[in-house]
Amino acid sequence: MSLIVHRAPRADRLVPGLADLLREPLEDPFAQELVLVPARGVERWLSQQLSHRLGHAEGRADGVCAGVLFRSPASLVAE
């Protein structure tokens, strides 16, 4: 497992890069990508933003954000 850290002054600037990373499927179809978010509200917003970029038909923005596990940094440290 690797850790990739990206920073930006605004969260919306990080979404396209994250979508590019998540667009490549994992070797195991049942594995999930881990994305750390600071709060549940950010998780909901980010999953909505990613659904517009992932899993949609050409020319449509009706995709789905699946195979992504959102967790808080504190829960990861506690584990």
Side-chain angles (χ1 to χ4, degrees), residues 8-16 42 45-46:
R10 294 177 32 180
D12 60 332
R13 294 183 182 170
L14 295 171
V15 174
V42 176
W45 173 81
L46 184 55

Side-chain angles (χ1 to χ4, degrees), residues 39-54:
R40 289 277 188 200
V42 176
E43 173 186 339
R44 286 188 295 271
W45 173 81
L46 184 55
S47 65
Q48 290 171 355
Q49 293 298 310
L50 290 172
S51 71
H52 293 294
R53 292 171 167 81
L54 301 173

Side-chain angles (χ1 to χ4, degrees), residues 18-59:
L18 179 58
D20 289 342
L21 286 173
L22 297 177
R23 194 167 281 120
E24 290 295 320
L26 298 172
E27 291 181 18
D28 180 1
F30 297 106
Q32 292 184 319
E33 293 279 6
L34 176 64
V35 176
L36 299 181
V37 293
R40 289 277 188 200
V42 176
E43 173 186 339
R44 286 188 295 271
W45 173 81
L46 184 55
S47 65
Q48 290 171 355
Q49 293 298 310
L50 290 172
S51 71
H52 293 294
R53 292 171 167 81
L54 301 173
H56 62 82
E58 189 64 35

